[in-house]
């Protein structure tokens, strides 16, 4: 009985071994290769800057839809996992953690505001997952403040604030010919504080004078006390590097107080809600630096505008086109990487050169920032009117 039992056990072990290894001469069976490439998409879909995130998310979805319709990347379809950062830094970290740890994405695109991008980048860097920010302009998104070096896994497709602030200052000095400014800063925003800093440096260097600075916070509603102080300073213009909700209210209240001097700002103004809040009259005699104008007549721009209008029934803004560009730059990097491998994608992103994005040929510099042009937009009777392009 013992001999028979031993034979039975040996026979069972042989059967199990064949079941595990198959009949391929002992070679283990390979797991089925995935037919999709999973990418995280994280934007401000709710909260104080939801207009930005919604537009950028729409641009991203359109791009990946086009890419999949053309056969995908490396013969695979792009599958997206969307998360809402709710316009808050803490929620940005949570959203990034979710798509990385829970959804197992190989790369991420998203973010339109700098404070959120800075918070989010800490998570993807720790996890070594490549991330392209669509519209976060503060230098600290891609550069480690402690080391002064580029974060290895974080990139962007938008102009940054040192360039944008300089463009704004030079426009005020050379085109508007105004040399006495008051600056209004959103103290709750890394974007506003950074852009104000770079504007002031370039403005003073160019011969301008800063008559004063006033601070406010996001979600403030009543700016009359600040505007009364500013009116007493007799400035020639107000520099206002904020986001569209507060900018609209400030402009409207300023005009109601007969403060009719030019107001100049940055890309944080670019939202259809700006005129809804500030009114057409309130926004007259205002200007802002931006990444793009849909009046761009290039073939790439016309193709994008037509596709976006067909898909969503509205004219795209700069946030929409930056979301679109971020998706295409990421897809191009995956194609050049030759695999849906995060480390290979990171290396390919670093090597991006002259990619034909809608907002201009995109080459990543040593800080993982693109070198490209900015535009000046003028508000006229409720319309955003392209004024000029400024090259780096």
């Amino acid at each position: 009985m013992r001999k028979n039992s031993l034979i039975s056990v040996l026979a069972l072990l042989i059967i199990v071994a064949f079941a595990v290894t198959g009949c391929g001469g002992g070679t283990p069976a390979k797991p089925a290769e995935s037919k999709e490439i999973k990418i995280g998409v994280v934007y401000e879909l709710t909260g104080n800057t939801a207009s930005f995130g919604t537009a950028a998310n729409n641009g991203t979805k359109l791009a990946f839809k086009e890419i999949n319709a053309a056969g995908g990347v490396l013969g695979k379809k792009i599958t997206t996992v969307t998360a809402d950062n709710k316009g808050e830094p803490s929620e940005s970290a949570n959203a990034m953690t979710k798509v990385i740890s829970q959804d197992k994405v190989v790369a991420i695109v998203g973010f339109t505001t700098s404070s959120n991008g800075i918070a989010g980048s800490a998570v993807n860097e720790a996890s070594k997952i490549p991330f392209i920010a669509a519209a976060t302009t503060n230098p600290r998104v891609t550069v480690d403040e402690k080391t002064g070096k580029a974060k290895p896994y974080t990139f962007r497709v938008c102009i940054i604030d040192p360039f944008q602030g300089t463009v704004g200052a030079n426009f005020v000095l050379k085109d508007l010919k105004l040399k006495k400014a008051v600056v209004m800063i959103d103290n709750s925003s890394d974007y506003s504080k950074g852009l104000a800093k770079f504007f002031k440096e370039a403005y003073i260097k160019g011969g301008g004078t800063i008559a004063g600075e006033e601070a406010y916070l996001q979600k403030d509603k009543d700016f009359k006390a600040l505007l009364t102080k500013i009116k007493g300073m007799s400035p020639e213009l107000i520099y206002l590097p904020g986001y569209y909700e507060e900018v609209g209210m400030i402009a409207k209240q300023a005009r109601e107080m007969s403060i009719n001097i030019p107001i100049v700002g940055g890309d944080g103004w670019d939202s259809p809600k700006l005129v809804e809040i500030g009114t057409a009259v309130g926004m007259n005699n205002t200007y802002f630096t931006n990444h793009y104008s849909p009046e761009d007549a290039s073939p790439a721009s016309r193709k994008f505008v037509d596709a976006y209008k067909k898909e969503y029934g509205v004219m795209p803004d700069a946030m929409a086109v930056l979301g679109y560009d971020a998706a295409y730059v990421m897809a191009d990097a995956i194609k050049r990487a030759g695999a849906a491998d995060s480390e290979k994608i990171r290396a390919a992103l670093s090597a991006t050169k002259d990619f034909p994005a809608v907002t201009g040929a995109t080459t990543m510099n040593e800080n993982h920032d693109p070198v490209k042009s900015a535009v000046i937009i003028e508000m006229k009777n409720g319309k955003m009117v392209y004024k000029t392009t400024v090259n780096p």
Side-chain angles (χ1 to χ4, degrees), residues 84-357:
D84 179 11
N85 67 33
K86 302 179 183 178
E88 300 289 345
S90 60
E91 292 293 341
S92 296
N94 291 339
M96 288 288 257
T97 299
K98 174 191 176 296
V99 298
I100 292 170
S101 301
Q102 182 175 318
D103 300 309
K104 309 296 182 184
V105 300
V106 297
I108 301 163
V109 297
F111 292 83
T112 62
T113 60
S114 293
S115 296
N116 296 330
I118 292 167
S121 70
V123 178
N124 75 278
E125 287 294 328
S127 302
K128 298 184 177 181
I129 297 295
F131 160 48
I132 298 180
T136 58
T137 57
N138 188 287
R140 291 195 293 130
V141 174
T142 57
V143 174
D144 187 321
E145 195 173 22
K146 294 179 180 178
T147 66
K149 296 181 180 180
K151 300 174 184 177
Y153 295 86
T154 303
F155 304 79
R156 71 176 120 212
V157 293
C158 59
I159 59 172
I160 62 173
D161 290 334
F163 176 52
Q164 185 176 192
T166 300
V167 168
N170 289 338
F171 170 72
V172 170
L173 291 167
K174 297 176 182 179
D175 292 67
L176 300 182
K177 301 186 185 305
L178 302 174
K179 292 193 173 183
K180 184 181 179 182
V182 167
V183 181
M184 293 187 73
I185 302 172
D186 176 355
N187 256 351
S188 55
S189 163
D190 290 307
Y191 160 77
S192 184
K193 289 184 284 188
L195 187 50
K197 173 182 179 291
F198 297 117
F199 171 85
K200 287 186 295 180
E201 289 175 355
Y203 190 65
I204 292 169
K205 184 178 180 180
T209 299
I210 303 298
E213 295 181 23
E214 296 297 331
Y216 65 92
L217 298 174
Q218 281 183 37
K219 301 182 182 179
D220 283 353
K221 304 293 184 184
D222 187 349
F223 302 92
K224 292 185 177 66
L226 291 180
L227 290 168
T228 297
K229 290 176 66 177
I230 289 170
K231 190 173 184 178
M233 298 175 194
S234 301
E236 295 178 323
L237 79 144
I238 297 171
Y239 187 67
L240 179 56
Y243 293 131
Y244 59 90
E245 285 207 356
E246 290 78 24
V247 167
M249 287 185 279
I250 289 169
K252 182 175 183 292
Q253 291 173 31
R255 300 326 188 200
E256 290 170 350
M257 296 172 63
S258 299
I259 302 173
N260 297 314
I261 57 177
I263 303 175
V264 179
D267 62 308
W269 289 28
D270 190 3
S271 168
K273 290 187 175 294
L274 179 65
V275 175
E276 290 179 26
I277 298 167
T279 74
V281 172
M283 295 310 304
N284 277 338
N285 199 23
T286 68
Y287 310 82
F288 65 98
T289 47
N290 208 5
H291 311 268
Y292 167 83
S293 167
E295 294 181 36
D296 181 349
S298 70
S301 177
R302 289 199 300 267
K303 179 183 176 183
F304 164 70
V305 169
D306 289 344
Y308 192 92
K309 287 169 65 178
K310 182 178 179 181
E311 187 77 11
Y312 300 110
V314 295
M315 199 74 167
D317 56 18
M319 299 299 158
V321 74
L322 288 171
Y324 186 85
D325 279 354
Y328 265 102
V329 170
M330 181 63 81
D332 173 70
I334 295 171
K335 180 180 178 181
R336 288 185 288 108
D341 175 86
S342 294
E343 190 58 40
K344 291 180 179 179
I345 295 169
R346 180 207 63 76
L349 282 170
S350 294
T352 299
K353 185 175 181 181
D354 294 328
F355 178 79

